[in-house]
Coordinates of all heavy atoms in Angstrom, one line a residue:
Chain C
K70 N 36.8 14.0 16.3 CA 36.0 14.7 15.3 C 34.8 15.4 16.0 O 34.5 16.5 15.6 CB 35.4 13.6 14.4 CG 34.7 14.1 13.1 CD 34.4 12.9 12.2 CE 34.0 13.5 10.8 NZ 33.8 12.4 9.8
C74 N 34.1 19.4 15.7 CA 32.9 19.8 14.9 C 31.8 20.3 15.9 O 31.1 21.3 15.5 CB 32.3 18.6 14.2 SG 33.5 18.0 12.9
V77 N 32.7 23.9 16.7 CA 32.5 24.7 15.4 C 31.0 24.9 15.1 O 30.6 26.0 14.8 CB 33.2 24.0 14.2 CG1 32.7 24.5 12.9 CG2 34.7 24.1 14.3
N78 N 30.3 23.9 15.3 CA 28.8 24.0 15.0 C 28.1 24.9 16.0 O 27.2 25.6 15.6 CB 28.2 22.6 14.9 CG 28.7 21.8 13.7 OD1 29.3 22.3 12.8 ND2 28.5 20.5 13.7
Q114 N 42.4 17.4 11.0 CA 41.6 17.4 9.7 C 40.4 18.2 9.8 O 40.0 19.0 8.9 CB 41.3 16.0 9.4 CG 42.4 15.1 8.9 CD 42.0 13.7 8.5 OE1 41.2 13.1 9.3 NE2 42.4 13.2 7.4
M115 N 39.6 18.1 10.9 CA 38.4 18.8 11.0 C 38.6 20.3 11.2 O 37.8 21.1 10.6 CB 37.6 18.2 12.2 CG 37.0 16.9 12.0 SD 35.9 16.8 10.6 CE 36.9 15.8 9.5
E118 N 39.3 21.6 7.8 CA 38.1 21.7 6.9 C 37.2 22.9 7.4 O 36.7 23.6 6.5 CB 37.3 20.4 7.0 CG 36.1 20.4 6.0 CD 35.2 19.2 6.1 OE1 35.6 18.1 6.6 OE2 34.0 19.4 5.7
A119 N 37.1 23.1 8.7 CA 36.3 24.2 9.1 C 37.0 25.5 9.0 O 36.3 26.5 9.2 CB 35.9 23.9 10.6
L168 N 15.3 21.3 7.6 CA 16.3 20.4 8.1 C 17.3 20.0 7.1 O 16.9 19.8 5.9 CB 15.6 19.1 8.7 CG 16.4 18.0 9.1 CD1 17.2 18.3 10.4 CD2 15.5 16.7 9.4
S169 N 18.6 19.9 7.4 CA 19.6 19.8 6.4 C 19.8 18.3 5.9 O 20.5 18.1 4.9 CB 21.0 20.3 6.9 OG 21.4 19.5 8.0
G170 N 19.3 17.3 6.5 CA 19.5 16.0 6.0 C 19.0 14.9 7.0 O 18.2 15.2 7.9
Y171 N 19.4 13.7 6.7 CA 18.9 12.5 7.5 C 19.1 12.6 9.0 O 20.1 13.0 9.5 CB 19.6 11.2 7.0 CG 19.2 10.8 5.6 CD1 20.0 11.2 4.5 CD2 18.0 10.2 5.4 CE1 19.5 10.8 3.2 CE2 17.6 9.8 4.1 CZ 18.3 10.1 3.0 OH 17.9 9.8 1.8
T194 N 28.5 8.0 11.3 CA 28.1 9.2 12.0 C 28.0 10.3 10.9 O 28.7 10.3 9.9 CB 29.2 9.6 13.0 OG1 28.8 10.9 13.6 CG2 30.6 9.8 12.4
D195 N 27.1 11.3 11.2 CA 27.0 12.4 10.2 C 27.9 13.6 10.7 O 27.8 14.7 10.1 CB 25.5 12.9 10.2 CG 25.0 13.3 11.5 OD1 25.6 13.0 12.6 OD2 23.9 13.9 11.6
C196 N 28.7 13.3 11.7 CA 29.5 14.4 12.3 C 30.3 15.2 11.3 O 31.0 14.6 10.5 CB 30.5 13.8 13.3 SG 31.5 15.0 14.2
A197 N 30.1 16.5 11.2 CA 30.7 17.3 10.2 C 30.7 18.8 10.7 O 29.8 19.2 11.4 CB 30.0 17.2 8.9
P198 N 31.7 19.6 10.2 CA 31.6 21.0 10.5 C 30.6 21.7 9.6 O 30.7 21.5 8.4 CB 33.0 21.5 10.2 CG 33.6 20.5 9.2 CD 32.9 19.2 9.4
L199 N 29.7 22.4 10.2 CA 28.6 22.9 9.4 C 28.7 24.4 9.1 O 27.8 25.1 8.6 CB 27.2 22.7 10.1 CG 26.9 21.2 10.3 CD1 25.6 21.2 11.2 CD2 26.6 20.6 9.0
N200 N 29.9 25.0 9.5 CA 30.0 26.5 9.4 C 29.9 27.0 8.0 O 29.3 28.1 7.8 CB 31.3 27.0 10.1 CG 32.5 26.3 9.6 OD1 32.5 25.1 9.4 ND2 33.6 27.0 9.5
K201 N 30.4 26.2 7.0 CA 30.3 26.8 5.7 C 28.9 26.7 5.1 O 28.4 27.6 4.5 CB 31.3 26.0 4.8 CG 32.7 26.4 5.2 CD 33.8 25.8 4.5 CE 35.1 26.4 5.1 NZ 36.3 25.5 4.7
L202 N 28.2 25.6 5.5 CA 26.8 25.4 5.1 C 26.0 26.6 5.7 O 25.2 27.2 5.0 CB 26.2 24.1 5.6 CG 24.7 23.9 5.5 CD1 24.3 23.8 4.0 CD2 24.3 22.6 6.2
V203 N 26.2 26.8 7.0 CA 25.5 27.9 7.7 C 25.7 29.2 7.0 O 24.8 30.1 6.9 CB 25.8 27.9 9.2 CG1 25.3 29.2 9.8 CG2 25.2 26.7 9.9
V205 N 26.5 29.9 3.9 CA 25.7 30.2 2.7 C 24.2 30.3 2.9 O 23.5 31.1 2.2 CB 25.9 29.0 1.6 CG1 27.3 29.0 1.1 CG2 25.4 27.7 2.1
M206 N 23.7 29.7 4.0 CA 22.3 29.9 4.4 C 22.1 31.3 4.8 O 21.1 31.9 4.4 CB 21.9 28.9 5.5 CG 21.9 27.4 5.1 SD 21.8 26.3 6.6 CE 20.2 26.6 7.1
E269 N 25.1 14.9 14.7 CA 26.2 15.7 14.9 C 26.6 16.5 13.7 O 27.7 17.2 13.7 CB 27.4 14.9 15.4 CG 27.2 14.3 16.8 CD 27.3 15.3 17.9 OE1 27.7 16.5 17.7 OE2 26.8 15.0 19.0
G270 N 25.8 16.4 12.7 CA 26.1 17.2 11.5 C 24.9 17.7 10.8 O 24.8 17.7 9.5
K271 N 23.9 18.1 11.5 CA 22.6 18.5 11.0 C 22.3 19.9 11.5 O 22.7 20.2 12.7 CB 21.5 17.6 11.3 CG 21.6 16.2 10.6 CD 21.5 16.3 9.1 CE 22.2 15.2 8.3 NZ 22.8 14.1 8.9
V272 N 21.6 20.7 10.7 CA 21.1 22.0 11.2 C 19.6 22.1 10.9 O 19.1 21.6 9.9 CB 21.9 23.1 10.6 CG1 21.9 23.1 9.1 CG2 21.4 24.5 11.1
A287 N 20.5 27.2 -1.7 CA 21.8 27.4 -1.3 C 22.3 26.2 -0.5 O 23.5 25.8 -0.7 CB 21.8 28.6 -0.4
M288 N 21.5 25.6 0.3 CA 21.9 24.4 1.1 C 22.3 23.2 0.2 O 23.3 22.5 0.5 CB 20.8 24.0 2.1 CG 20.5 25.0 3.2 SD 19.1 24.5 4.2 CE 20.0 23.3 5.3
R289 N 21.5 23.0 -0.8 CA 21.7 21.8 -1.6 C 23.0 21.7 -2.4 O 23.4 20.7 -2.8 CB 20.4 21.6 -2.5 CG 19.2 21.1 -1.6 CD 18.0 21.0 -2.4 NE 16.9 20.6 -1.6 CZ 15.6 21.0 -1.8 NH1 15.3 21.7 -2.9 NH2 14.7 20.6 -1.0
V290 N 23.6 22.9 -2.5 CA 24.9 22.9 -3.2 C 26.0 22.5 -2.2 O 27.0 21.9 -2.7 CB 25.2 24.4 -3.7 CG1 26.5 24.5 -4.3 CG2 24.1 24.8 -4.6
D291 N 25.8 22.6 -1.0 CA 26.8 22.3 0.0 C 26.8 20.7 0.3 O 25.7 20.2 0.3 CB 26.6 23.0 1.3 CG 27.7 22.8 2.3 OD1 27.7 21.8 3.0 OD2 28.5 23.7 2.5
P292 N 28.0 20.1 0.4 CA 27.9 18.6 0.6 C 27.1 18.2 1.9 O 26.6 17.1 1.9 CB 29.4 18.3 0.8 CG 30.2 19.5 0.9 CD 29.3 20.6 0.3
Y293 N 27.0 19.1 2.9 CA 26.3 18.7 4.1 C 24.8 19.1 4.0 O 24.1 19.0 5.0 CB 27.0 19.2 5.3 CG 28.4 18.7 5.4 CD1 29.5 19.6 5.5 CD2 28.7 17.4 5.4 CE1 30.8 19.2 5.7 CE2 30.0 16.9 5.5 CZ 31.0 17.8 5.6 OH 32.3 17.4 5.7
G294 N 24.4 19.7 2.9 CA 23.0 20.1 2.8 C 22.3 19.6 1.7 O 21.2 20.0 1.3
R295 N 22.8 18.5 1.0 CA 22.2 18.0 -0.2 C 20.8 17.5 0.0 O 20.0 17.6 -0.9 CB 23.1 16.8 -0.7 CG 24.0 17.3 -1.8 CD 24.7 16.2 -2.5 NE 26.1 16.7 -2.8 CZ 27.2 16.1 -2.4 NH1 27.1 15.0 -1.7 NH2 28.3 16.7 -2.7
E296 N 20.6 17.0 1.2 CA 19.2 16.4 1.4 C 18.3 17.4 2.2 O 17.3 17.0 2.8 CB 19.3 15.1 2.3 CG 20.1 14.0 1.6 CD 19.4 13.4 0.4 OE1 18.2 13.5 0.3 OE2 20.1 13.0 -0.5
A297 N 18.7 18.6 2.1 CA 17.9 19.6 2.9 C 16.4 19.7 2.4 O 16.2 19.5 1.2 CB 18.5 21.0 2.7
R298 N 15.5 19.9 3.3 CA 14.1 19.9 3.0 C 13.3 20.6 4.1 O 13.8 20.8 5.2 CB 13.6 18.5 2.7 CG 13.6 17.7 4.0 CD 13.4 16.2 3.6 NE 14.6 15.7 3.0 CZ 14.6 14.5 2.4 NH1 13.5 13.7 2.4 NH2 15.7 14.0 1.9

Side-chain angles (χ1 to χ4, degrees):
Chain C
K70 190 172 192 178
C74 296
V77 163
N78 292 347
Q114 285 180 314
M115 289 302 111
E118 187 184 334
L168 173 67
S169 63
Y171 287 100
T194 179
D195 60 348
C196 182
L199 298 174
N200 51 319
K201 291 178 181 163
L202 172 65
V203 165
V205 296
M206 292 167 71
E269 292 292 343
K271 294 292 156 2
V272 55
M288 291 176 82
R289 286 173 183 154
V290 177
D291 188 280
Y293 301 124
R295 263 186 217 124
E296 298 293 332
R298 63 195 72 189

